[in-house]
Amino acid sequence: DTAVSQTPKYLVTQMGNDKSIKCEQNLGHDTMYWYKQDSKKFLKIMFSYNNKELIINETVPNRFSPKSPDKAHLNLHINSLELGDSAVYFCASSHLQGGGANVLTFGAGSRLTVL
Amino acid sequence: AQSVTQLGSHVSVSEGALVLLRCNYSSSVPPYLFWYVQYPNQGLQLLLKYTTGATLVKGINGFEAEFKKSETSFHLTKPSAHMSDAAEYFCAVSEGRDDKIIFGKGTRLHILP
């Protein structure tokens, strides 16, 4: 039973299209994140939600819109896709209220290729 | 703002040899420090973390790291490399339990037979 699951695993699409990536966690965590990993493996945080409330919103084009319908889900919608959006997008979750360091549990990633 | 520098984007060691992956951090407050590992086509997994207390931290798969405040370092070591250790390793820092985690650019570890 996968702790953090993302769909789809692979996504190939044309420039200008709109696409979504879904993420679900069954760990009971209260915080979820989206990270972008580029072709050089550089990992950068995009957004985080705590109990459905946006708490981190890095400098990301407003073509990217996260949505958290509940604590267990965080989806990423991307409008008007560009070539530079090609990357692997990782969803992660953590339990901020549990005390101690903020340890992330990652999904397996969604590889987006924009042609 | 905190930051992480990993020295060497690629490190190669022979099977059975010592693994040393270097990480230096910058933080305005006592940091939380992490090492994550990423195997091909997978997400990141936590190897170990430092919060407070003992500066030598042991993690999974025989890895350990030592927090050295004077050197602002958190290098990752393993006494004897296995072929299965080949992966991408990320050092990360945060300045608080509810603060965002900043990752280094990663070090690809190659194990030579």
Side-chain angles (χ1 to χ4, degrees), chain B residues 1-71:
Chain B
Q2 67 270 43
S3 66
V4 174
T5 301
Q6 291 184 239
L7 298 176
S9 57
H10 291 265
V11 170
S12 296
V13 301
S14 297
E15 193 173 17
L18 171 72
V19 175
L20 171 61
L21 303 182
R22 299 177 187 275
C23 172
N24 287 89
Y25 70 90
S26 171
S27 176
S28 56
V29 300
Y32 291 165
L33 295 161
F34 310 83
W35 276 99
Y36 283 81
V37 60
Q38 184 180 27
Y39 297 103
N41 299 315
Q42 295 185 26
L44 282 70
Q45 304 171 36
L46 181 71
L47 268 181
L48 49 80
K49 65 182 181 189
Y50 168 79
T51 54
T52 58
T55 56
L56 182 62
V57 180
K58 294 187 185 299
I60 61 172
N61 301 337
F63 284 93
E64 60 184 37
E66 187 171 10
F67 170 60
K68 292 187 177 180
K69 184 179 177 181
S70 61
E71 299 177 7

Side-chain angles (χ1 to χ4, degrees), chain B residues 48-101:
Chain B
L48 49 80
K49 65 182 181 189
Y50 168 79
T51 54
T52 58
T55 56
L56 182 62
V57 180
K58 294 187 185 299
I60 61 172
N61 301 337
F63 284 93
E64 60 184 37
E66 187 171 10
F67 170 60
K68 292 187 177 180
K69 184 179 177 181
S70 61
E71 299 177 7
T72 61
S73 70
F74 190 58
H75 301 332
L76 182 70
T77 60
K78 181 174 180 177
S80 177
H82 294 164
M83 295 300 291
S84 60
D85 294 327
E88 192 89 22
Y89 291 79
F90 292 90
C91 183
V93 64
S94 78
E95 291 187 335
R97 181 173 55 81
D98 56 352
D99 195 23
K100 61 186 176 185
I101 296 176

Side-chain angles (χ1 to χ4, degrees), chain A residues 9-10 35 37 40-43 45 56 58 90 96-104 106-109 111, chain B residues 32 34 36 38 41-46 49 51 88 90 94 96-105 108:
Chain A
K9 190 171 176 63
Y10 300 97
Y35 278 83
Q37 186 175 48
K40 295 184 178 179
K41 298 291 187 180
F42 183 50
L43 200 66
I45 189 168
I56 294 176
E58 293 295 290
F90 285 99
L96 277 189
Q97 306 307 316
N102 182 15
V103 174
L104 302 176
F106 282 83
R111 181 178 294 276
Chain B
Y32 291 165
F34 310 83
Y36 283 81
Q38 184 180 27
N41 299 315
Q42 295 185 26
L44 282 70
Q45 304 171 36
L46 181 71
K49 65 182 181 189
T51 54
E88 192 89 22
F90 292 90
S94 78
R97 181 173 55 81
D98 56 352
D99 195 23
K100 61 186 176 185
I101 296 176
I102 303 299
F103 286 85
K105 293 189 175 182
R108 172 66 62 90

Side-chain angles (χ1 to χ4, degrees), chain A residues 21-23 32-34 49 66-68 72-76 91:
Chain A
I21 306 172
K22 296 185 177 182
C23 180
M32 297 184 71
Y33 309 78
W34 279 110
Y49 273 74
K67 282 190 171 51
S68 182
H73 296 83
L74 179 62
N75 303 324
L76 182 66
C91 178

